[in-house]
Amino acid sequence: MNTITLLQPDDWHAHLRDGLALKRTVPDLAQQFSRAICMPNLVPPVKTVDEANAYRERIMAHVPEGVDFDPRMVIYFTDNTAPDEVRKIADSEYVNAIKLYPAGATTNSDSGVSDIRKVYAVIEQMEKHQVPLLLHGEVTHNHIDIFDREKRFVDDILSPLLQQFPELKVVLEHITTSDAAHFVLEQDRNVAATITPQHLLFNRNDLLVGGVKPHFYCLPILKRQTHQQTLLEVATSGNPKFFLGTDSAPHSKNAKENACGCAGCYSAPTAIELYAQAFDQVSRIERLEGFASHFGADFYGLPRNTKTITLVKEDQVIPESLDYLDGEKIIPLYAGNTIQWRKM
């Protein structure tokens, strides 16, 4: 298959940042996706519906003329989130979910939830109103190996949570392990997962062999090839519990390439082509539309898009770098390498 036409895809997990960063990130994402769940881990975080709507206005100011783009907003779960905020989300036009970061799990997560039991009153309201809970699924205890943190979250946090709230709508974000994939498969339809392009295309060898490659460093970290293979199997299976979420996150080259480089991969400019590469590598390109364009919208109760895009099997070289902020650069995911698909 040398061309494929699909409904315009959505990105159900993306980081745009704020301020000057939006000049780079919003056009990149809007040229690829019709909608995007916009992560709330700003500084300070987006903690209320009013703050989320204000953030959406700042995003909309950078959407290119003639491009239809609908940012879907999320508020940041803290130990002090009010249960009343859940009804506001349920009644909101643009705010769709609450995002839970375990405190210290990733970039700008220091305000996250310190103990999930502290916010059970809010989660009870989320289950009642069917407001999705989006989870960064890692524990953060220093003594737990970084490669085991997702599995421990599933076992120690998520499993008991769903026993307590069996009807809660949950998206386990950017899953990276066979353990997480199999857990999602075993749950009812109220539990789903997003998968990133980097976790489909790469594994920890790409990060570590021959020296540390900082632009492959993300959280949750890349895992073994066996986990990568499981993610490819579930993403390309046609199972509606798995859908597209890039976790695209902009960091300047200087912030990534230093003694304490930050976590995140920037995939927004060529995201759908990267997913097409992954699906094509396992001869399942015909299943890309469900993963990219159907299943996420269905889970969130939003209408599927009606416009289409076409991908053609044609080599393109991902740029070595992109302009960012004032004279800084971003190194995009797989920079300088050739992929076999291009968006027309």
Side-chain angles (χ1 to χ4, degrees), residues 149-211:
R149 291 182 176 189
E150 182 173 275
K151 182 181 187 307
R152 287 293 298 271
F153 182 91
V154 169
D155 293 344
D156 299 349
I157 307 297
L158 184 52
S159 184
L161 177 69
L162 289 171
Q163 290 175 14
Q164 182 80 15
F165 302 101
E167 303 302 319
L168 181 67
K169 292 191 74 169
V170 169
V171 181
L172 188 56
E173 303 275 22
H174 45 49
I175 63 170
T176 66
T177 60
S178 301
D179 310 277
H182 290 144
F183 180 86
V184 172
L185 285 169
E186 292 164 1
Q187 306 308 308
D188 291 334
R189 291 289 292 271
N190 57 304
V191 179
T194 58
I195 307 178
T196 75
Q198 62 263 28
H199 290 104
L200 293 177
L201 288 167
F202 309 111
N203 59 62
R204 67 188 192 181
N205 277 358
D206 297 289
L207 171 66
L208 297 171
V209 171

Side-chain angles (χ1 to χ4, degrees), residues 8-224:
Q8 190 169 12
D10 301 307
D11 185 350
W12 300 104
H13 184 137
H15 296 269
L16 294 170
R17 307 301 187 217
D18 206 356
L20 286 175
L22 298 177
K23 184 178 179 181
R24 168 86 259 169
T25 60
V26 174
D28 283 347
L29 201 66
Q31 298 285 1
Q32 286 263 318
F33 299 105
S34 178
R35 291 171 291 211
I37 286 280
C38 303
M39 290 293 108
N41 58 330
L42 308 182
V43 182
V46 177
K47 295 186 288 187
T48 67
V49 168
D50 288 344
E51 290 175 357
N53 285 326
Y55 180 34
R56 186 178 190 276
E57 290 181 5
R58 298 196 297 276
I59 292 169
M60 291 300 295
H62 293 273
V63 176
E65 186 176 352
V67 174
D68 292 326
F69 181 60
D70 180 13
R72 311 305 303 183
M73 310 311 295
V74 181
I75 71 170
Y76 187 113
F77 219 150
T78 75
D79 288 345
N80 300 311
T81 299
D84 290 348
E85 207 67 33
V86 176
R87 175 169 284 281
K88 294 179 184 178
I89 293 172
D91 294 339
S92 172
E93 184 176 1
Y94 299 117
V95 185
N96 289 98
I98 300 181
K99 177 63 180 279
L100 189 152
Y101 292 97
T106 189
T107 304
N108 300 339
S109 64
D110 293 342
S111 299
V113 172
S114 61
D115 184 336
I116 199 166
R117 292 168 294 185
K118 292 182 178 180
V119 295
Y120 269 13
V122 181
I123 293 174
E124 182 179 16
Q125 292 301 305
M126 296 177 71
E127 182 182 47
K128 176 182 177 181
H129 293 287
Q130 289 293 281
V131 170
L133 175 64
L134 314 185
L135 293 171
H136 181 110
E138 291 186 289
V139 298
T140 57
H141 311 302
N142 289 335
H143 66 280
I144 296 177
D145 191 286
I146 191 170
F147 292 101
D148 298 331
R149 291 182 176 189
E150 182 173 275
K151 182 181 187 307
R152 287 293 298 271
F153 182 91
V154 169
D155 293 344
D156 299 349
I157 307 297
L158 184 52
S159 184
L161 177 69
L162 289 171
Q163 290 175 14
Q164 182 80 15
F165 302 101
E167 303 302 319
L168 181 67
K169 292 191 74 169
V170 169
V171 181
L172 188 56
E173 303 275 22
H174 45 49
I175 63 170
T176 66
T177 60
S178 301
D179 310 277
H182 290 144
F183 180 86
V184 172
L185 285 169
E186 292 164 1
Q187 306 308 308
D188 291 334
R189 291 289 292 271
N190 57 304
V191 179
T194 58
I195 307 178
T196 75
Q198 62 263 28
H199 290 104
L200 293 177
L201 288 167
F202 309 111
N203 59 62
R204 67 188 192 181
N205 277 358
D206 297 289
L207 171 66
L208 297 171
V209 171
V212 176
K213 316 296 193 306
H215 301 287
F216 283 119
Y217 174 53
C218 58
L219 290 173
I221 199 166
L222 296 174
K223 303 298 195 299
R224 290 180 181 272

